[in-house]
Amino acid sequence: MGDEKPKFLIKGGKRLDGRKPEDVRPIQIKMGVVPNADGSAEVIFGKTRVIATVYGPRELHPRHQVINERARVRVRYDMMTFSVEDRKRPGPGRRETEISKVLAEALTRVVITEKYPTRAIDVFVTVVQADASTRVAGLNAASLALADAGIPMRDLVVSLSFGKSYDEKGQGHMVVDLEKEEDNWGMGDIAYAVAPALGEVLLLQMDGDVTLEEFKKGKTMADKAALEIYEMQKRALKARYEEGSK
Amino acid sequence: MSENVENRQLVVPGKILAKGMEFLPGDGAYRDQDEIRASVLGLVNFKGRAIKVIPLNGKYLPKRDDPVIGIITEVGYNSWNLDINATYTARMLVGDASDRYIDTNRHKLASVFGVGDAVICQIKKVDENMAVFVTARGPGLRKVHDGKLVYVNAAKIPRIIGKGASMVKMIKEYTETRMFVGQNGIVWIQGGNEELAEKAVLKIEAEAHLVGLTDKMEQFLSKESGKTINRDEPKPEPEAVAEGTEEKKEEGE
């Protein structure tokens, strides 16, 4: 924190960490990291690490939140105090409340909530280490944890960030999967989530300035990267049960 | 079999199982215009025109006629509330508790079933709001007095029962126990070598996704119990995880 603005974030087609604009960071997915939960997953995007756990469907308290015809998907997004350089004050603030809300809305779109009227499906998204793009990593983890818990879903959720970085001349370039420097100093960042098999957009948030052309270019890059992440998710889910069967 | 997936294939939510109107979506699948897609992580199962996906994890969802084991949590004026290890709790009305008439003015309901009692019962009705009613009237349905309750993942129950109840039968033969397997993931074991029976149940739960489990369990049980049981007719190994309906009715007793 408090570092000076870097002279460039991208130079000669290479980003600060050596990636090409369309590359995502090394991704790792671990399933079932919290055995006590009904479903859990850990998603690692470079230095960003997020754990999601799912409990339910279970009885919904407080009762006034009950929806008679379907289940309510509740998400609590939280960052660990040690997940960032300066100690993060524990508890949900303005930012956490907002992220919890948008994640819940994105997940409600894919979970077949009509199957469990009046119940609650609780998702806890915990950021263990933050290096930008935590909400999208959290959404990936949440979707995997839901599938792990055996909750009926129309599709998985694949999520990633993209944004506008600048080179040494101050020229903007679209890049995929922002890391911390690019998020802090970049010219725009977008959180994006899709249901890949259905082709629906579930989350789209932007901070900064991006022209329509740039957005379209970034989205094309993100869609391509999303397919890679989707394949990884499928592999991770299957690997849980595959050894020995068939 | 459709052109998109094979029987017993492991699929993830969103996977296309079949196109067109030739097939019908069963449990674990849904229709999205003219495609049938999986909604849970599990194994594809074709049955006639229906395609279902057998989940590998998940809580028990009450279904009519399922035999279950419930724990009484509350005694009311004319009904009991039961925890059936599911997403929803269940209710049992006085009339469904016993074949005999219970006069609520003269008898306390707690003297029939008290809080904490385990009752072998059957799902009588599940309404559209998922209010679940169970009954203890019927052959083999009763309160259990001793023995052990083992909790397992409800998705693994068909495997514990086995094809035509072959697996429970085997465990009972080797351990000389009495068993009842509730569809809700609660297994009651009583008498004989309870510890070994419990171990066997938990072993099946842990290895439910593997092929050739019956033979493996036979070896395990005969080694642990030091017993050999001669099987005159060689039994074909049941390959499918669960065909569902036909073994569902199977009660362990």
Side-chain angles (χ1 to χ4, degrees):
Chain A
M1 290 284 218
D3 290 344
E4 270 179 45
K5 183 172 175 174
K7 293 224 166 56
F8 59 85
L9 291 172
I10 184 164
K11 195 179 182 183
K14 265 198 168 174
R15 296 206 249 163
L16 292 179
D17 56 3
R19 280 186 290 159
K20 282 190 243 143
E22 67 274 18
D23 287 350
V24 291
R25 290 174 284 182
I27 295 171
Q28 277 183 60
I29 297 172
K30 295 177 187 167
M31 299 302 301
V33 288
V34 183
N36 272 4
D38 294 322
S40 61
E42 180 176 16
V43 170
I44 304 168
F45 272 39
K47 283 189 266 179
T48 295
R49 264 170 183 265
V50 184
I51 292 177
T53 54
V54 168
Y55 292 87
R58 61 182 180 185
E59 207 174 334
L60 175 53
H61 286 290
R63 288 294 276 275
H64 68 84
Q65 286 186 355
V66 166
I67 307 169
N68 278 326
E69 52 280 351
R70 64 175 179 90
R72 183 186 286 275
V73 179
R74 296 190 290 192
V75 177
R76 185 191 161 103
Y77 166 97
D78 211 352
M79 286 168 88
M80 299 273 80
T81 53
F82 50 79
S83 63
V84 282
E85 266 171 58
D86 291 331
R87 179 175 184 273
K88 194 255 166 198
R89 237 188 128 209
R94 194 210 94 251
R95 190 180 96 93
E96 286 74 24
T97 310
E98 177 201 308
I99 294 177
S100 300
K101 177 182 180 288
V102 294
L103 296 192
E105 283 169 2
L107 293 173
T108 306
R109 293 280 295 130
V110 290
V111 173
I112 303 178
T113 51
E114 301 80 37
K115 216 157 172 187
Y116 297 99
T118 70
R119 300 288 101 161
I121 296 167
D122 288 319
V123 183
F124 299 98
V125 175
T126 307
V127 180
V128 180
Q129 182 168 276
D131 191 66
S133 312
T134 58
R135 78 186 68 187
V136 290
L139 196 49
N140 284 316
S143 136
L144 290 164
L146 283 166
D148 184 37
I151 288 168
M153 301 159 79
R154 297 192 303 135
D155 198 357
L156 295 172
V157 181
V158 175
S159 180
L160 75 162
S161 60
F162 62 96
K164 192 171 162 191
S165 183
Y166 57 87
D167 60 15
E168 67 277 17
K169 291 184 204 109
Q171 191 87 74
H173 293 275
M174 296 309 285
V175 293
V176 156
D177 187 22
L178 308 180
E179 45 134 18
K180 193 173 149 201
E181 297 290 308
E182 294 168 332
D183 187 38
N184 285 355
W185 304 108
M187 298 154 95
D189 57 87
I190 292 151
Y192 176 59
V194 284
L198 302 173
E200 288 175 26
V201 175
L202 303 170
L203 170 70
L204 192 62
Q205 289 187 302
M206 183 170 84
D207 185 16
D209 286 320
V210 169
T211 66
L212 185 60
E213 280 68 46
E214 284 166 336
F215 174 82
K216 281 180 180 160
K217 194 182 166 214
K219 185 176 170 293
T220 319
M221 289 159 77
D223 281 331
K224 225 177 130 208
L227 286 180
E228 269 171 59
I229 300 172
Y230 183 44
E231 288 306 317
M232 280 180 180
Q233 290 194 357
K234 286 199 279 190
R235 242 178 287 141
L237 280 172
K238 286 179 177 174
R240 250 207 118 174
Y241 296 99
E242 208 129 64
E243 34 84 50
S245 86
K246 250 216 163 135
Chain B
M1 233 116 308
S2 74
E3 66 242 39
N4 299 89
V5 284
E6 291 168 43
N7 207 13
R8 299 262 302 137
Q9 189 180 323
L10 185 58
V11 292
V12 299
K15 166 89 183 166
I16 295 174
L17 302 178
K19 284 181 179 162
M21 292 296 171
E22 202 184 325
F23 290 100
L24 296 167
D27 287 347
Y30 69 97
R31 179 172 287 286
D32 176 34
Q33 280 147 38
D34 57 76
E35 284 152 356
I36 292 175
R37 290 175 187 270
S39 66
V40 292
L41 176 67
L43 302 171
V44 179
N45 190 300
F46 288 90
K47 201 163 204 185
R49 288 179 62 213
I51 308 180
K52 65 176 180 178
V53 180
I54 298 158
L56 293 166
N57 194 7
K59 286 205 171 168
Y60 173 64
L61 192 63
K63 241 205 227 127
R64 214 185 112 177
D65 293 341
D66 274 359
V68 296
I69 295 178
I71 314 291
I72 307 278
T73 53
E74 230 177 288
V75 183
Y77 174 69
N78 59 0
S79 68
W80 292 267
N81 286 353
L82 293 95
D83 173 13
I84 50 165
N85 193 30
T87 311
Y88 296 89
T89 57
R91 254 181 103 196
M92 178 155 48
L93 303 175
V94 246
D96 290 323
S98 160
D99 287 334
R100 271 181 296 175
Y101 173 67
I102 300 168
D103 187 345
T104 46
N105 293 319
R106 290 176 40 211
H107 296 282
K108 282 217 163 109
L109 289 199
S111 65
V112 183
F113 297 135
V115 171
D117 281 350
V119 184
I120 295 175
C121 45
Q122 195 171 23
I123 309 269
K124 192 185 175 194
K125 189 178 135 190
V126 182
D127 75 8
E128 62 276 15
N129 299 317
M130 295 305 283
V132 181
F133 292 91
V134 293
T135 174
R137 286 176 69 174
L141 306 182
R142 64 199 168 81
K143 177 161 109 179
V144 299
H145 294 277
D146 55 354
K148 202 168 196 165
L149 294 180
V150 183
Y151 283 74
V152 294
N153 190 329
K156 313 280 162 76
I157 285 293
R159 210 77 231 262
I160 290 168
I161 294 172
K163 204 168 213 167
S166 57
M167 198 75 95
V168 221
K169 257 186 213 151
M170 194 169 78
I171 299 174
K172 285 199 288 191
E173 273 169 12
Y174 278 102
T175 60
E176 290 169 7
T177 51
R178 298 210 290 160
M179 281 175 80
F180 182 92
V181 184
Q183 285 294 325
N184 57 342
I186 305 181
V187 181
W188 172 71
I189 304 167
Q190 189 259 325
N193 194 347
E194 287 178 13
E195 285 74 29
L196 178 58
E198 178 181 3
K199 246 198 236 167
V201 167
L202 294 175
K203 194 173 157 71
I204 300 170
E205 185 197 15
E207 297 174 14
H209 57 285
L210 303 181
V211 170
L213 195 57
T214 315
D215 290 339
K216 217 172 151 193
M217 290 309 299
E218 177 115 46
Q219 278 171 19
F220 168 79
L221 284 164
S222 91
K223 196 177 140 228
E224 295 280 316
S225 66
K227 238 195 264 180
T228 39
I229 288 170
N230 270 336
R231 302 211 182 281
D232 294 336
E233 73 284 30
K235 248 192 266 173
E237 156 67 19
E239 284 247 321
V241 163
E243 300 296 348
T245 45
E246 64 268 67
E247 58 257 55
K248 209 164 221 178
K249 294 279 164 53
E250 199 56 56
E251 285 145 26
E253 289 222 281

